[in-house]
Amino acid sequence: MFSSHSAPQGTLTVTVIEARNLHKEDLGGHNDPYVELWLDEEYKQRTSTIKDTENPVFNETFTFNIPEGSSEHRIHFKVIDKDTVGTDKIGEGKLDIAEAFKGQPIDTWAKLPAKLGLSSHGEVHFSVQFSPL
């Protein structure tokens, strides 16, 4: 049908379901996290901010138009703590989505590795589906 190096044209639907055990970035309180996600740096999408929690529930769905022959097989994501002034990065990671292009829905938890990968800054629950045109 298509090579493992390129995707058919279609729509990728990504749901950011929830996150858990997020690393606390604020000394005096809880995180106010949101998730940024993208296939291409030029087009980032983000969830709403959930206040005062290390275990936010987002249940937000995003779509990405995939051109035929795309070689992007990963979703990049970053979890950020929104502060009154500025933001703090809680963690970031990548999610392999190649199986979605083969018609397999993905429902998985993606880890936010800490520096040097020695521990975890939490994890994010994603659901991913691809609909070819």
Side-chain angles (χ1 to χ4, degrees), residues 18-105:
E18 61 187 319
R20 66 184 176 199
N21 304 321
L22 295 178
H23 183 264
K24 275 190 177 181
E25 293 299 319
D26 293 334
L27 295 175
H30 296 284
N31 289 322
D32 299 323
Y34 65 90
V35 179
E36 278 186 351
L37 59 158
W38 66 94
L39 288 169
D40 175 343
E41 285 271 350
E42 315 255 319
Y43 182 61
K44 290 186 176 183
Q45 299 189 64
R46 63 164 279 188
T47 66
S48 54
T49 301
I50 307 294
K51 294 204 169 283
D52 295 326
T53 184
E54 283 68 59
N55 299 290
V57 175
F58 298 103
N59 283 325
E60 293 183 45
T61 300
F62 304 90
T63 58
F64 296 88
N65 293 321
I66 306 296
E68 185 159 359
S70 172
S71 60
E72 282 299 328
H73 291 141
R74 286 191 190 107
I75 291 179
H76 303 264
F77 63 94
K78 186 183 301 184
V79 181
I80 299 166
D81 175 30
K82 182 170 177 28
D83 289 328
T84 307
V85 178
T87 60
D88 296 316
K89 180 177 82 173
I90 296 171
E92 62 187 309
K94 295 176 193 147
L95 179 62
D96 186 335
I97 55 172
E99 290 300 309
F101 294 130
K102 297 175 185 172
Q104 294 293 320

